[in-house]
Each structure stands twice: as structure tokens, then as C-alpha cells.
Amino acid sequence: DIQMTQSPSSLSASVGDTVTITCRASQSISNFLNWYQVNPGKAPKLLIYATSILHSGVPSRFSGSGSGTEFVLTITNLQPEDFATYYCQESYDTPLYTFGQGTKLEI
Amino acid sequence: QVQLQESGPGLLKPSQTLSLTCIVSGVSMSSDSYYWSWIRHHPGKGLEWIGYINYSGSTFYNPSLESRVIISVDTSKSQFSLKLSSVTAADSAVYYCARVIEVYTDYYYYAMDVWGQGTTVTVSS
């Protein structure tokens, strides 16, 4: 099975900052990598699929990059609504989807 | 717009069977570009994919749960369901239903583009 490891596990930042979250796969997954935003009590949101393609309606301050085993989610000009937990998920080993353990972004 | 809503009992005793239903609105479930999925989130841990079903009833389950899971679909009622048998405290989690979409660019990519808000399930004697 593919293992997904995110770093850091938590991150503190301020409104207006730029942050990066890293996701590493235990084997190459090409560009089959998705990012999600999860807030307690709310429906999780798909942010990015296929490593770098922004899902419809997602602000352009979110971006993704990487390939193979290392991937990065970048959020520029942090807004108050961006403070949440972020998960990467591989879609290479379809239909078995594995998530990272999450990165909590705090103010 | 497309919406998913989970429903089911929030409290179970060990060894019981968890039964959850996801009502789908705003879209027909009868498309071969969609898969209907269940995911759970353990407190303090990451997300765990449970399994999915398509409109014709083809399923795939996480091997770690496969012996206890059944996912079914009723397109006439626009809903799909999860049954997890022999639950223990380790099955306490927030359970989400989600739609998996298939997007073709240079390859087929899959992602969960619409999620329900989740329902909390607690297993306790």
C-alpha cells in the first residue's frame, strides 16, 4: 500500500502570510495527488486535483506542485477562512485512496 | 447544486451494525463518471477511505474493512448506504459520504468533489 506523509503536522501563521504544506508518497504516484480542506462541522472541500489543477470555485491563492513522491500545497495571502486542516490524497492506487495524516493550519 | 447528506444513528453498542444513508440531491446518480463513496475521520487522526459504489452496484472496499463493510445503492431513491458490522470503539468517527468524479485530461484522474457535512458515530457500551 502507498503511504502518504504530510509535514508539518501543524502550522501557525497570520492573515496575509504565505504557507506551504508538503506531502510525500512512499512510492512514485506521478501526478495523481489531490488536496482537501477540512473544517469541523463542515463538508470537506476539494481544492486541487491532479497535483496542480484548481477545482472549480477555489480561490487562486491556492496552488499545488510536485510530481513523483513529493508534492506541495501553497497558500498565499492567507485569509481567515483558510485556517483549517489540509489533507493530501493519492489517486494513483485507484480505487484504493489513501490520505495523509493532515496538517492543521492555525492562526 | 449537488448536495449530499448523511443520516443514521449516532450511538451504537459494541458488536452492533452501523447503518448510514447518504441522500443525494441536485444530480442523477446514474452516471458512469461518478462513484459514491464513504470516508471516515477518527478523532485526532486522518481520513480513512472506506469504499465506494457506482450506479450499477459495483463496489470496492478498503481491504482493512472489507470483511465488515457493505455499501449499497438505490438510484430510484437517490441514495446510497453503508453497513459496518461488529463495530467496536475503534469505529467511533465522523462518517462522510462523498462523490468521486472521474476527470480526463491526459489520464483519468479521480477526486472527491462533493462531500456531506458528516455524521458523528460513537460506539460505547
Side-chain angles (χ1 to χ4, degrees):
Chain A
D1 293 357
I2 298 173
Q3 306 301 317
M4 307 300 291
T5 303
Q6 290 181 232
S7 60
S9 56
S10 65
L11 179 58
S12 295
S14 301
V15 172
D17 284 354
T18 294
V19 298
T20 61
I21 299 170
T22 299
C23 178
R24 291 185 173 86
S26 59
Q27 66 182 72
S28 177
I29 58 170
S30 184
N31 65 336
F32 292 86
L33 193 282
N34 306 323
W35 290 98
Y36 299 87
Q37 179 192 68
V38 179
N39 264 311
K42 294 187 176 181
K45 294 181 181 178
L46 172 64
L47 299 174
I48 290 170
Y49 65 94
T51 296
S52 60
I53 301 177
L54 220 57
H55 182 52
S56 175
V58 175
S60 59
R61 62 180 181 272
F62 291 89
S63 64
S65 62
S67 68
T69 61
E70 187 157 330
F71 303 85
V72 174
L73 173 68
T74 301
I75 314 171
T76 59
N77 188 23
L78 275 171
Q79 297 300 298
E81 61 269 28
D82 299 337
F83 292 93
T85 301
Y86 293 86
Y87 291 88
C88 63
Q89 177 230 340
E90 60 85 14
S91 61
Y92 178 86
D93 198 12
T94 302
L96 178 61
Y97 307 104
T98 303
F99 293 88
Q101 82 278 20
T103 296
K104 187 173 184 179
L105 176 55
E106 300 174 298
I107 298 177
Chain B
Q1 73 278 23
V2 181
Q3 290 186 310
L4 280 65
Q5 180 64 58
E6 307 89 348
S7 64
L11 182 61
L12 291 169
K13 296 185 186 302
S15 79
Q16 290 185 327
T17 295
L18 166 65
S19 294
L20 297 176
T21 296
C22 182
I23 303 291
V24 178
S25 60
V27 68
S28 169
M29 294 187 73
S30 301
S31 166
D32 56 10
S33 293
Y34 301 146
Y35 302 85
W36 305 96
S37 188
W38 288 97
I39 304 98
R40 66 183 184 179
H41 189 189
H42 293 95
K45 297 185 179 179
L47 295 163
E48 180 181 30
W49 179 75
I50 299 171
Y52 74 49
I53 192 166
N54 70 3
Y55 76 98
S56 65
S58 295
T59 55
F60 191 89
Y61 302 132
N62 188 323
S64 68
L65 296 169
E66 187 169 17
S67 63
R68 299 193 291 133
V69 172
I70 297 175
I71 297 176
S72 58
V73 65
D74 187 340
T75 56
S76 67
K77 294 183 178 179
S78 205
Q79 65 183 42
F80 62 108
S81 300
L82 168 70
K83 289 190 186 300
L84 180 66
S85 63
S86 304
V87 297
T88 68
D91 295 310
S92 297
V94 176
Y95 285 74
Y96 296 99
C97 57
R99 181 179 75 172
V100 178
I101 56 166
E102 177 185 85
V103 178
Y104 183 78
T105 58
D106 50 344
Y107 293 96
Y108 283 103
Y109 295 94
Y110 299 86
M112 296 164 195
D113 72 325
V114 183
W115 297 61
Q117 288 195 313
T119 187
T120 301
V121 173
T122 303
V123 180
S124 174
S125 56

